Amino acid sequence: MAARRAVSSLLSRCLYASPKTLSPSLLPKGERAHGAAAGILQRFSTAAAVEDPVAPPVQVNYTKLLIDGKFVDSASGKTFPTLDPRTGEVIAHVAEGDAEDINRAVHAARKAFDEGPWPKMTAYERSRILLRFADLIDKHNDELAALETWDNGKPYEQAAKIEVPMLSRLMRYYAGWADKIHGLIVPADGPHHVQVLHEPIGVAGQIIPWNFPLLMFAWKVGPALACGNTIVLKSAEQTPLTALYAAKLLHEAGLPEGVLNVVSGFGPTAGAALASHMDVDKIAFTGSTETGKIIQELAARSNLKPVTLELGGKSPFIIMDDANIDHAVELAHFALFFNQGQCCCAGSRTFVHENVYDEFVEKSKARALKRVVGDPFKNGVEQGPQIDDEQFSKVLRYIRAGVDSGATLVTGGERAGSKGFYIQPTVFSDVKDNMVIAQEEIFGPVQSILKFKDLNEVIQRANASKYGLAAGVFTNNLNTANTLMRALRVGTVWINCFDVFDAAIPFGGYKMSGVGREKGVDSLKNYLQVKAVVTPLRNSAWL
């Protein structure tokens, strides 16, 4: 997080310009604001963003650190506020963990691994605990979704109908793997019996981001527990609430004390202490590439613990001239604007063939203008606020940079509403590869549309990025699809779809988008050690 703040600070110095506000008198009739919102731009469906926020249908019950099965205050007694992105107001004060709290949590996790029942428990019993946890998730679906929306700002319908059900699905998936992790017997060139054992790695340190707190909890915790490890998890300081709630449910399902410890806190203190801790056997991190570099360095300088990283992206979304343009517009819109644009794999470089470019731009503008921005607890809202003021300001600086570099601002470009961290859905056309908005991860509702002429050109340009997380391809030509799926240097290629996240599908990136894979069978490898055991054979009947 320290690196992310440093980058944001640099952008602030280089790119900042105060957003302009259009006078209501310059707006078409019917698009002018009314009443208390008379000075607010109303080109989008943003009425919900300027009204009093809906009271969340949930209470905050867990704000302390979870260490050794108990909720405890931080060693320093410090707390920090977690904010409602709709208003910037305080939801609750949460215990602020630091290095001493990480030490306490690691000690508990180490004791639970070395002396406790979890790694010695049968795999079937571990599976049953994870299945009971999934049942509890289903039972508390609405509370988890409401907390996620309140703390993060994502639409409640998205959290309740997609993300929390996926949380329980992931837990059932990993419960299914728990008793199917096994080794091998391999033949040797001589009279030896050779076993290959897959053993739990030990104490896993895990650092999750703020954009999908519950899903990232599942991506990290699920495979680690299925393999028999213990965990110290640091939640994002912007969104600490749901990890604590989910961890409480996991203990209710029968998880032994000390197996999962949750520390809320900041990156430079708690995060750095976890990554550099000498008694942590493995670290997993999801977040920015800049912070990922710091995590990897801290791990190397301490005990050379293995690291898995799921980092940033600047994913190309390629639309060929044979595509159904209406469908392509809708899919490209979803690929970028989903979750307020706060997705590492967002289709943030929309490459469109020159033959259909102008039509695509006009229809993308129309779709963006129809996007419903407002209070995420309201039915029908597609886009809530950005996570906090830092991210809100960063996105606006990137928009200003796009204008200053010569890209055409087709629509949007301003804040939406008068309070909270809402930003209008923004579309740029005439974007060039060397522009900042085409190179750097904006992490916001800003679509950049680029023009290309032929297949070879778009392959070269799509791959000319330091990132390699994902890509989208929209075409009706099977040969074109096959060419692109093999040529694009990314971890995931979605063809005529986007953001399909099944529990069994591995996810991760090439290049500076990360190391290792989340989800699927590949994720289990992150949490297992491989041990060879060789025993001489005497008078063996067979080799």
Side-chain angles (χ1 to χ4, degrees):
M1 295 307 296
R4 183 181 283 276
R5 290 195 183 95
V7 172
S8 181
S9 176
L10 177 62
L11 285 167
S12 178
R13 293 194 297 271
C14 297
L15 305 177
Y16 180 77
S18 298
K20 299 176 182 177
T21 302
L22 295 182
S23 168
S25 63
L26 299 178
L27 298 174
K29 186 176 180 181
E31 293 184 348
R32 299 178 187 178
H34 299 282
I40 299 167
L41 185 63
Q42 291 290 298
R43 294 168 59 198
F44 301 81
S45 298
T46 57
V50 300
E51 296 174 355
D52 290 336
V54 174
V58 68
Q59 292 182 337
V60 177
N61 295 320
Y62 308 110
T63 59
K64 296 184 178 183
L65 312 180
L66 180 61
I67 298 177
D68 204 15
K70 302 175 183 65
F71 283 106
V72 296
D73 293 323
S74 62
S76 67
K78 291 182 179 179
T79 63
F80 66 93
T82 185
L83 305 180
D84 183 344
R86 302 174 302 162
T87 62
E89 297 172 354
V90 174
I91 298 172
H93 288 85
V94 180
E96 181 181 335
D98 57 21
E100 177 56 30
D101 301 294
I102 292 294
N103 283 333
R104 295 160 62 195
V106 171
H107 176 76
R110 174 57 61 193
K111 184 178 179 181
F113 185 78
D114 291 346
E115 304 174 19
W118 186 249
K120 301 177 181 66
M121 189 181 293
T122 67
Y124 175 61
E125 183 56 32
R126 289 201 300 270
S127 173
R128 291 180 64 194
I129 290 173
L130 293 177
L131 288 173
R132 288 197 293 268
F133 177 43
D135 290 340
L136 287 170
I137 292 168
D138 291 341
K139 179 180 178 180
H140 295 274
N141 182 95
D142 294 351
E143 298 99 302
L144 283 164
L147 271 181
E148 192 85 327
T149 293
W150 195 4
D151 211 14
N152 172 275
K154 65 179 67 215
Y156 175 77
E157 292 178 337
Q158 172 186 323
K161 297 179 181 179
I162 299 174
E163 295 183 17
V164 179
M166 180 55 74
L167 170 63
S168 65
R169 174 66 183 95
L170 284 159
M171 286 303 162
R172 290 189 174 93
Y173 175 82
Y174 286 113
W177 268 114
D179 60 356
K180 298 170 187 66
I181 298 168
H182 55 77
L184 297 170
I185 303 296
V186 298
D189 293 337
H192 293 90
H193 176 74
V194 181
Q195 298 170 268
V196 179
L197 303 181
H198 292 163
E199 301 180 344
I201 201 166
V203 177
Q206 303 179 328
I207 303 174
I208 60 174
W210 48 259
N211 56 335
F212 293 98
L214 281 173
L215 287 180
M216 297 302 101
F217 178 96
W219 287 19
K220 297 288 189 290
V221 170
L225 292 183
C227 293
N229 299 283
T230 59
I231 299 168
V232 177
L233 181 140
K234 192 201 86 67
S235 56
E237 60 265 30
Q238 298 90 343
T239 53
L241 299 180
T242 50
L244 293 169
Y245 194 110
K248 174 64 169 61
L249 294 179
L250 188 44
H251 282 80
E252 187 178 330
L255 190 74
E257 294 179 352
V259 175
L260 172 62
N261 306 272
V262 179
V263 178
S264 49
F266 294 87
T269 49
L274 184 58
S276 59
H277 203 288
M278 294 297 292
D279 208 21
V280 170
D281 299 306
K282 184 263 183 313
I283 195 81
F285 169 80
T286 296
S288 73
T289 296
E290 292 77 14
T291 306
K293 291 179 180 179
I294 296 172
I295 296 292
Q296 193 160 35
E297 181 178 359
L298 291 172
R301 289 183 178 275
S302 52
N303 58 346
L304 205 63
K305 61 180 69 65
V307 177
T308 51
L309 303 169
E310 197 267 283
L311 306 176
K314 196 68 180 175
S315 300
F317 188 96
I318 299 169
I319 296 154
M320 303 303 297
D321 58 352
D322 64 341
N324 180 305
I325 295 303
D326 290 335
H327 291 169
V329 166
E330 186 62 33
L331 191 60
H333 180 88
F334 169 74
L336 187 284
F337 290 102
F338 176 68
N339 206 52
Q340 293 70 249
Q342 296 170 156
C343 297
C344 54
C345 60
S348 52
R349 289 185 295 155
T350 307
F351 287 97
V352 182
H353 195 281
E354 62 179 3
N355 292 346
V356 294
Y357 186 84
D358 291 341
E359 179 186 0
F360 183 92
V361 169
E362 284 304 310
K363 290 184 174 180
S364 294
K365 172 184 177 181
R367 178 63 181 91
L369 285 167
K370 292 178 182 177
R371 187 168 183 82
V372 182
V373 182
D375 190 319
F377 280 106
K378 291 195 170 186
N379 292 333
V381 166
E382 297 176 276
Q383 180 177 317
Q386 308 310 120
I387 184 65
D388 59 15
D389 182 64
E390 180 182 345
Q391 187 66 19
F392 170 82
S393 299
K394 174 186 173 183
V395 173
L396 290 177
R397 290 195 296 271
Y398 271 119
I399 292 171
R400 186 71 252 165
V403 172
D404 291 346
S405 64
T408 300
L409 181 60
V410 175
T411 189
E414 309 285 348
R415 76 175 300 159
S418 59
K419 62 181 177 180
F421 308 124
Y422 297 89
I423 293 178
Q424 295 169 352
T426 298
V427 177
F428 280 104
S429 65
D430 304 314
V431 178
K432 308 301 180 186
D433 294 341
N434 62 352
M435 294 179 179
V436 170
I437 60 171
Q439 294 182 342
E440 299 183 11
E441 188 177 33
I442 299 173
F443 228 61
V446 181
Q447 184 177 31
S448 298
I449 307 178
L450 303 91
K451 184 187 296 185
F452 72 94
K453 292 183 179 180
D454 58 52
L455 195 59
N456 290 332
E457 174 199 333
V458 78
I459 290 171
Q460 186 277 324
R461 291 171 62 192
N463 284 334
S465 170
K466 65 181 180 180
Y467 298 113
L469 191 55
V473 172
F474 206 91
T475 179
N476 288 320
N477 188 306
L478 182 60
N479 291 328
T480 299
N482 284 333
T483 296
L484 285 168
M485 65 182 278
R486 287 166 171 78
L488 294 170
R489 299 191 63 231
V490 298
T492 300
V493 179
W494 286 295
I495 299 175
N496 296 334
C497 61
F498 207 85
D499 279 349
V500 177
F501 287 106
D502 188 273
I505 300 174
F507 184 76
Y510 288 22
K511 299 185 280 186
M512 293 179 73
S513 286
V515 178
R517 292 296 181 268
E518 308 272 10
K519 301 194 291 106
V521 64
D522 294 276
S523 65
L524 300 173
K525 301 172 186 177
N526 301 332
Y527 297 98
L528 293 168
Q529 286 281 22
V530 178
K531 177 185 287 183
V533 180
V534 183
T535 306
L537 293 173
R538 298 289 183 263
N539 302 316
S540 176
W542 55 270
L543 294 177

